[in-house]
Amino acid sequence: MNKTRVILDRDFTVGKTDERIFGSFIEHLGRAVYGGIFEPTHPAADEDGFRTDVLELVKEAKVPIVRYPGGNFVSGYNWRDGVGPVEDRPRRLELAWGSTEPNTFGTNEFMKWCKKAGCEPLMAVNLGTGTPEEARALVEYCNHKGGTYYSDLRIQHGATQPHKVKTWCLGNEMDGPWQMGHKTAEEYGRVACETAKLMKWTDPSVETVLCGSSAWGMSTFGTWEATALDLAYDHVDYISLHTYYNNHEKNLKNFLARSMDMEAFILSVIAACDFVKGKKHSKKTINLSFDEWNVWYHSNGAKFEKWSEAPHILEDVYDFADVLLVGCMLNVLLRHCDRVKIACLAQLVNVIAPIMTENGGKAWKQTIFHPYALTSQYGRGTVLQAKTEGSKYDSKDYTDVSDVDTVCVFNEEKQELCIFAVNRSEEENTLFVKTGGFEGFTPVEHIVIAGFETDCTNTAHAQPVQPTATALPQTETDGISTVLRPLSWNLIRLSKN
Ligand code: AHR
């Protein structure tokens, strides 16, 4: 039987997780907002028009931060369109996705929704068609107490208290030719620098996220990061990364190895940040905001009516294979928690999302909801450096892919050690974890998602893909051991109590 041996020690740590690593994303795209989080005519809508069935699922996943309002959408968005009396708001042609934007949901509605969902907003400003002044004015509108034009406008719009938005994305995917107002690294670096400067002068407590490459495979990757950072370094705190994977080629082994790309992408961006840091002899470290990541391909090619309102676009129906890759991607983010401080599963509802809804009907958990929610619930704490040895495989694009991908997180407060393990292999794998420094800790739970066909999905009518509790691992003299089922996502919890 295949084997994996993990050796960890309580004293050897990667770092503390920033809870924002379990964030997500809501864009004005398809039915993410309209029919997703906001549907005033739905039987479960509250007094603000928010779907309470969706809110419950968001709270269950303990989503700490939500990026908004885009995405490609933000690069053509005038935030003034989405504030003030709803009846006065303009209907606009939305060029990023070819839809009609009614603007009945905007900044203040989003802030209210965040409060109800228990999450923090991660706002993006328009650096495509927008200007530094428009971005700065939005910071004043959101964060200034009162007594100035924009802060008084917010108060006049019913939001008497400032929203205190801490983290701001300086545009979206500005390296991509598909972006409204696409820029070269030099053009973007300059405008991002000046915008961040004005935003921070307006509210010195804000943090800013510079756009990195929209994908690792962009021809400008690397030089984009180095150039934009060089120009904006002193005024930014994070750089963004985006990635989406697909299995169009129907090659499971290769698909499940894609998280290795994500890991290499993270390491390259860290290298770019530290190169600029070194070049500038700076004491400041730029951290990473992986603010779009997911599997995305099931819905490619789906047709929708041009200029319709809230069309069904990018409504990927996720399967069991996606559970495994999403699990591996979450493990990667955790393993790099010393530098990845923010990450957003893209997106949250209906659009390439863990939560799906019917207009006027049900809301349910897609397959990928489960690894995401369970990792968010149990993956907070200190990530331990773990040495993993075990069986490996080669696939079309990768060599030495570990059969079992793991990460171990110690939650000091709960005195709980959580081991996340994905068995990518179609065979069982014996896992042994040597838990140095965790004497007295014993297994209290083993949750597994396994036993499904790889194309098994959850729909409005049936949700077969669910986590289940399984037999506890064996306690050994210096650790624990168990047999991981073929193609399985696992969470093993050890506790002292
Ligand atoms: O998340 C969907 C889209 O993917 C976003 O709008 C864009 O930023 C990315 O290309």
Side-chain angles (χ1 to χ4, degrees):
M1 190 189 292
N2 289 334
K3 284 189 179 143
T4 303
R5 191 179 145 81
V6 177
I7 302 158
L8 59 84
D9 191 287
R10 192 169 171 161
D11 288 334
F12 294 98
T13 64
V14 176
K16 273 210 158 58
T17 55
D18 186 319
E19 65 165 14
R20 296 175 300 171
I21 210 168
F22 303 112
S24 189
F25 177 28
I26 285 284
E27 177 169 0
H28 282 248
L29 193 187
R31 297 191 308 122
V33 173
Y34 306 108
I37 60 173
F38 180 69
E39 194 179 347
T41 55
H42 192 278
D46 67 9
E47 66 286 0
D48 292 312
F50 304 150
R51 283 187 63 154
T52 53
D53 51 351
V54 173
L55 273 171
E56 284 317 306
L57 295 174
V58 175
K59 284 193 247 178
E60 185 182 330
K62 287 185 83 176
V63 181
I65 190 165
V66 176
R67 185 167 174 250
Y68 173 87
N72 296 343
F73 169 82
V74 79
S75 297
Y77 183 52
N78 181 345
W79 65 266
R80 297 285 305 262
D81 290 349
V83 295
V86 175
E87 58 281 10
D88 296 342
R89 298 187 195 172
R91 288 170 64 77
R92 297 267 190 214
L93 289 184
E94 199 291 287
L95 304 187
W97 302 102
S99 315
T100 295
E101 171 55 51
N103 281 311
T104 50
F105 186 99
T107 303
N108 293 315
E109 287 80 16
F110 179 64
M111 298 300 161
K112 230 184 212 175
W113 181 85
C114 282
K115 274 215 176 78
K116 289 189 176 176
C119 62
E120 174 190 339
L122 170 58
M123 288 293 279
V125 296
N126 175 355
L127 286 191
T129 62
T131 63
E133 167 53 23
E134 283 158 11
R136 185 217 64 77
L138 180 58
V139 175
E140 182 185 325
Y141 181 88
C142 287
N143 288 7
H144 200 71
K145 216 168 151 228
T148 63
Y149 178 78
Y150 286 110
S151 56
D152 285 346
L153 191 63
R154 182 199 69 239
I155 295 167
Q156 193 189 315
H157 292 162
T160 50
Q161 294 308 309
H163 297 311
K164 296 189 181 157
V165 179
K166 184 178 173 204
T167 317
W168 296 78
C169 299
L170 300 164
N172 176 69
E173 296 190 346
M174 297 310 305
D175 62 324
W178 58 87
Q179 206 67 215
M180 288 176 261
H182 162 228
K183 292 177 174 44
T184 64
E186 286 79 7
E187 288 166 347
Y188 173 65
R190 285 293 302 130
V191 80
C193 174
E194 292 308 310
T195 306
K197 205 166 86 181
L198 301 194
M199 289 166 79
K200 288 187 175 197
W201 284 354
T202 302
D203 179 356
S205 73
V206 303
E207 296 184 329
T208 56
V209 183
L210 185 76
C211 285
S213 295
S214 51
W216 197 29
M218 294 296 286
S219 60
T220 47
F221 173 72
T223 49
W224 173 276
E225 278 74 6
T227 308
L229 272 173
D230 200 31
L231 291 165
Y233 203 88
D234 292 341
H235 301 283
V236 300
D237 305 281
Y238 308 90
I239 188 163
S240 72
L241 300 81
H242 292 177
T243 205
Y244 296 99
Y245 298 122
N246 70 68
N247 190 14
H248 279 307
E249 60 185 5
K250 294 198 185 307
N251 181 337
L252 182 67
K253 279 186 175 302
N254 211 43
F255 176 62
L256 297 183
R258 292 277 180 226
S259 57
M260 290 171 74
D261 263 5
M262 187 189 205
E263 195 142 23
F265 186 14
I266 289 174
L267 292 172
S268 321
V269 175
I270 292 173
C273 292
D274 294 349
F275 162 71
V276 181
K277 177 181 182 178
K279 186 167 166 267
K280 288 182 175 287
H281 303 103
S282 175
K283 287 198 168 64
K284 174 176 164 185
T285 299
I286 302 290
N287 284 316
L288 277 51
S289 172
F290 214 128
D291 46 43
E292 286 188 35
W293 69 270
N294 204 348
V295 171
W296 171 6
Y297 75 106
H298 297 283
S299 64
N300 287 359
K303 302 247 180 313
F304 67 96
E305 196 193 328
K306 186 97 170 160
W307 306 130
S308 56
E309 227 176 279
H312 291 253
I313 18 180
L314 312 193
E315 298 200 358
D316 274 39
V317 175
Y318 289 103
D319 62 23
F320 173 58
D322 302 326
V323 167
L324 304 174
L325 181 59
V326 163
C328 289
M329 292 171 86
L330 285 157
N331 289 356
V332 168
L333 292 170
L334 284 170
R335 283 201 293 269
H336 295 283
C337 73
D338 54 332
R339 295 299 290 272
V340 181
K341 301 293 176 186
I342 303 170
C344 303
L345 174 66
Q347 297 191 5
L348 185 57
V349 187
N350 289 331
V351 173
I352 43 173
I355 299 168
M356 200 68 140
T357 71
E358 290 170 325
N359 291 341
K362 292 182 185 165
W364 65 97
K365 299 172 185 173
Q366 291 238 51
T367 61
I368 60 167
F369 178 92
H370 298 293
Y372 171 57
L374 287 164
T375 312
S376 171
Q377 287 157 13
Y378 293 104
R380 297 166 194 226
T382 300
V383 176
L384 300 165
Q385 277 181 29
K387 185 166 164 42
T388 304
E389 297 158 349
S391 45
K392 295 191 161 119
Y393 70 88
D394 292 342
S395 69
K396 184 174 141 270
D397 299 319
Y398 305 91
T399 49
D400 288 336
V401 185
S402 317
D403 278 336
V404 175
D405 186 272
T406 63
V407 69
C408 306
V409 186
F410 177 50
N411 187 316
E412 186 112 30
E413 209 179 305
K414 293 202 252 168
Q415 285 294 299
E416 183 174 275
L417 174 64
C418 290
I419 302 160
F420 296 90
V422 178
N423 184 4
R424 292 178 168 118
S425 151
E426 287 170 81
E427 288 171 34
E428 287 184 336
N429 198 297
T430 303
L431 173 72
F432 169 72
V433 185
K434 187 172 177 193
T435 51
F438 288 99
E439 291 72 27
F441 281 70
T442 52
V444 291
E445 190 172 41
H446 182 172
I447 300 174
V448 65
I449 313 175
F452 305 100
E453 296 295 328
T454 51
D455 61 358
C456 186
T457 58
N458 288 352
T459 65
H461 308 293
Q463 292 101 43
V465 179
Q466 297 287 343
T468 47
T470 187
L472 293 181
Q474 288 209 319
T475 303
E476 313 281 352
T477 45
D478 52 354
I480 56 123
S481 68
T482 190
V483 174
L484 300 180
R485 292 171 66 183
L487 298 178
S488 60
W489 181 93
N490 302 267
L491 162 61
I492 298 166
R493 297 198 296 122
L494 276 66
S495 169
K496 212 168 184 173
N497 313 308

